[in-house]
C-alpha cells in the first residue's frame, strides 16, 4: 500500500492512528513505503504464542458474553414495557369500574346529610358524614389513578392553545385565596413586567398550579404566608409557590414525585393521596417544561415549574 492513510474518525481512533504511524516510523518505514496490516492470527512476523492465544480466546469469550447480555437486556426491556402496559390497562379499568358506584355512594350520602340534618342523632349524622368524606377521598384517589395510568401509557393528549399566562395565574390565585382565607393564610404574588404567552393545555396547567397552592396551604400553619411568583427567564415562564410550612427532608424531596409517596399519611387539612405531584410532574414533562423543589424541614418549601414561552406576536409583527 502506497502512502498509507488510515481513515479513522473518532478521536480515540485518531490517537490509535498516531500510535501506529509512530511505531511504523520507528520500525524504519518511511512515507511512501509499502506495508500491510495483518491480523494477529495470520501474522507471520511473530509466532502466535500460547499467551497471545489465551488472551485472544478470553477476549472473544468476553465479547460473546457481552453480546448475549445485551440481547437479554433488550428482551427484558421489551417484556417490562409490555408488563407496564398491561398493569396500566388493568389499573385503569379497575379504577374506572369503581368510579360509578362510588359516585352513587357519594351523592346518596350527601343527600342524606342535607335531608336528615336535625332529624337524627349527632352520632348517626357522624356516620353519614364519614361515609361522605370517605367517598370523596376515594373518588380523588381513583381520579388520580386514572389520570396517572392514562399518562403513563402515553394516552394523554394535550389540548394546546396559546394562553396568556398572567391571566391564568391571577385567576387561579383568586380562587385559591378563598381556600387560604379559611385558614387565615395570606397569599401574595408578583408577576412579570410583560404578558407571557405559551402553547399549553390550560386545564392541565391549572391543575398543576392548584396542586402546588393547595399543598402549600395544606402543609402550612394557620396565619402563615404563601408567596406566588410568575417571571420569565431564558425564554421560559417560571411559576413558583413558596410556603412557610412544615418543609420536606432531603431524602423525601427525592421521592415525593413518585406515585403514592407520602411523607405523612395524615395531616391537619385532610387525608393525603400522594398522587398530585406525580401527575403534576407528568403534565409539565408533557409540556417540555421542568420541575424544581427546594425545601428545609420546619422552615418551608418552594415548588417551581417552567414552561417554554411562545414569541410575543405584538413584537414580532
Ligand atoms: P398529597 O398532597 O395528596 O399527599 P402530593 O403528591 O401532592 O400528594 O404530595 C406528595 C407528598 O409531598 C405529600 O404527602 C407531602 O408529604 C409532601 N408535600 C407536598 N407539598 C408539600 C409542601 N408544600 N410542604 C410540605 N410537604 C409537601
Amino acid at each position: 500500500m502506497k502512502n498509507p492513510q488510515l481513515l479513522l474518525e473518532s478521536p480515540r481512533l485518531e490517537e490509535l492512528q498516531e500510535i501506529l504511524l509512530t511505531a511504523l516510523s520507528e520500525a524504519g518505514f518511511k512515507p511512501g513505503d509499502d506495508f500491510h496490516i495483518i491480523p494477529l492470527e495470520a501474522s507471520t512476523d511473530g509466532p502466535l504464542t500460547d499467551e497471545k492465544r489465551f488472551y485472544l480466546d478470553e477476549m472473544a469469550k468476553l465479547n460473546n458474553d457481552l453480546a448475549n447480555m445485551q440481547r437479554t437486556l433488550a428482551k427484558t426491556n421489551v417484556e417490562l414495557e409490555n408488563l407496564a402496559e398491561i398493569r396500566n390497562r388493568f389499573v385503569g379499568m379497575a379504577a374506572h369500574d369503581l368510579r360509578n358506584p362510588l359516585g352513587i355512594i357519594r351523592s346518596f350520602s350527601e343527600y342524606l346529610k342535607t335531608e336528615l340534618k336535625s332529624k337524627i342523632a349527632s352520632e348517626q349524622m357522624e356516620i353519614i358524614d364519614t361515609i361522605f368524606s370517605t367517598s370523596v377521598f376515594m373518588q380523588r384517589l381513583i381520579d388520580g389513578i386514572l389520570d396517572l395510568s392514562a399518562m403513563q401509557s402515553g394516552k394523554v393528549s394535550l389540548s394546546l392553545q396559546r394562553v396568556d399566562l398572567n391571566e391564568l395565574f391571577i385567576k387561579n390565585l383568586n380562587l385559591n385565596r378563598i381556600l387560604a382565607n379559611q385558614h387565615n393564610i395570606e397569599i401574595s404574588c408578583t408577576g412579570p413586567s410583560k404578558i407571557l404567552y405559551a402553547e399549553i393545555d390550560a386545564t392541565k396547567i391549572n391543575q398543576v398550579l392548584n396542586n402546588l397552592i393547595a399543598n402549600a396551604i395544606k402543609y402550612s400553619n394557620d396565619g402563615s404566608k404563601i408567596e406566588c411568583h410568575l417571571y420569565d427567564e431564558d425564554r421560559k415562564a417560571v411559576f413558583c409557590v413558596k410556603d412557610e410550612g412544615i418543609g420536606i427532608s432531603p431524602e423525601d424531596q427525592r421521592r415525593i414525585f413518585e406515585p403514592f409517596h407520602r411523607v405523612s399519611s395524615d395531616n391537619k387539612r385532610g387525608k393525603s393521596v400522594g398522587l398530585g405531584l406525580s401527575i403534576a410532574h407528568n403534565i409539565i414533562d408533557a409540556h417540555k417544561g421542568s420541575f424544581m423543589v427546594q425545601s428545609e424541614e420546619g422552615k418551608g418549601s418552594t415548588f417551581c415549574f417552567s414552561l417554554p414561552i411562545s414569541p410575543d406576536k405584538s413584537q414580532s409583527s
Side-chain angles (χ1 to χ4, degrees):
M1 188 192 294
K2 289 260 184 221
N3 291 327
Q5 271 199 338
L6 300 176
L7 296 175
L8 305 168
E9 275 173 23
S10 88
R12 197 84 189 92
L13 290 179
E14 268 177 322
E15 214 178 291
L16 186 64
Q17 175 181 12
E18 203 153 340
I19 294 168
L20 269 174
L21 292 175
T22 314
L24 285 171
S25 90
E26 273 171 12
F29 282 90
K30 293 185 291 303
D33 280 353
D34 277 348
F35 76 95
H36 303 275
I37 296 177
I38 301 164
L40 192 56
E41 283 270 24
S43 164
T44 49
D45 290 348
L48 188 57
T49 59
D50 284 352
E51 196 186 4
K52 273 187 199 164
R53 184 174 290 287
F54 171 79
Y55 284 120
L56 278 171
D57 285 351
E58 279 302 296
M59 271 167 65
K61 251 195 269 164
L62 285 172
N63 217 10
N64 275 344
D65 287 353
L66 199 65
N68 283 339
M69 276 158 78
Q70 272 171 342
R71 269 194 292 274
T72 316
L73 200 64
K75 209 172 133 213
T76 314
N77 261 345
V78 172
E79 279 168 11
L80 275 176
E81 272 169 25
N82 289 341
L83 280 175
E85 172 63 26
I86 292 170
R87 184 205 60 195
N88 277 340
R89 239 184 304 146
F90 171 76
V91 169
M93 271 160 52
H96 189 263
D97 286 353
L98 282 173
R99 214 179 174 285
N100 288 344
L102 255 177
I104 294 170
I105 297 173
R106 178 189 167 152
S107 31
F108 280 7
S109 54
E110 194 171 15
Y111 169 79
L112 289 177
K113 250 163 70 101
T114 37
E115 280 301 302
L116 300 179
K117 200 172 173 184
S118 71
K119 289 187 193 149
I120 54 173
S122 64
E123 296 84 26
Q124 289 166 321
M125 187 47 91
E126 249 175 60
I127 294 172
I128 296 175
D129 255 340
T130 311
I131 297 173
F132 176 69
S133 59
T134 310
S135 60
V136 170
F137 172 74
M138 283 186 70
Q139 252 191 347
R140 262 179 61 211
L141 181 66
I142 282 172
D143 286 345
I145 292 173
L146 280 171
D147 272 1
L148 199 66
S149 83
M151 279 178 199
Q152 287 181 339
S153 50
K155 285 194 192 118
V156 169
S157 54
L158 298 178
S159 153
L160 296 178
Q161 275 177 333
R162 185 176 157 87
V163 172
D164 173 343
L165 296 180
N166 304 43
E167 195 184 318
L168 177 132
F169 181 60
I170 297 298
K171 272 192 188 161
N172 193 298
L173 286 186
N174 287 343
L175 285 177
N176 274 297
R177 277 203 176 99
I178 300 170
L179 176 65
N181 283 344
Q182 291 169 7
H183 301 285
N184 197 21
I185 292 175
E186 188 194 317
I187 301 188
S188 64
C189 75
T190 62
S193 50
K194 58 176 183 182
I195 297 176
L196 305 178
Y197 293 96
E199 296 281 326
I200 57 164
D201 185 321
T203 312
K204 294 212 159 44
I205 295 300
N206 250 323
Q207 188 182 341
V208 176
L209 256 179
N210 267 335
N211 183 252
L212 296 190
I213 302 176
N215 277 353
I217 297 172
K218 206 158 46 162
Y219 299 106
S220 288
N221 288 324
D222 285 13
S224 62
K225 288 191 170 69
I226 293 175
E227 286 174 30
C228 296
H229 305 283
L230 168 63
Y231 56 93
D232 59 318
E233 190 179 78
D234 300 333
R235 284 195 271 156
K236 283 184 182 138
V238 185
F239 291 86
C240 287
V241 180
K242 181 173 187 288
D243 65 56
E244 305 172 333
I246 58 172
I248 309 161
S249 71
E251 198 203 325
D252 281 314
Q253 282 174 46
R254 281 189 284 277
R255 301 200 52 203
I256 47 174
F257 294 101
E258 291 171 14
F260 300 109
H261 184 80
R262 287 163 295 184
V263 180
S264 49
S265 61
D266 239 331
N267 63 68
K268 292 189 284 30
R269 313 221 204 284
K271 271 190 185 159
S272 178
V273 173
L275 283 177
L277 285 179
S278 167
I279 293 170
H281 208 303
N282 273 281
I283 293 176
I284 297 305
D285 284 351
H287 282 83
K288 300 193 171 42
S290 55
F291 230 104
M292 293 140 273
V293 57
Q294 272 185 338
S295 187
E296 205 179 324
E297 274 179 293
K299 294 238 166 116
S301 314
T302 305
F303 282 85
C304 299
F305 66 90
S306 68
L307 295 170
I309 45 180
S310 334
D312 185 347
K313 277 185 185 161
S314 63
Q315 281 180 9
S316 56
S317 59

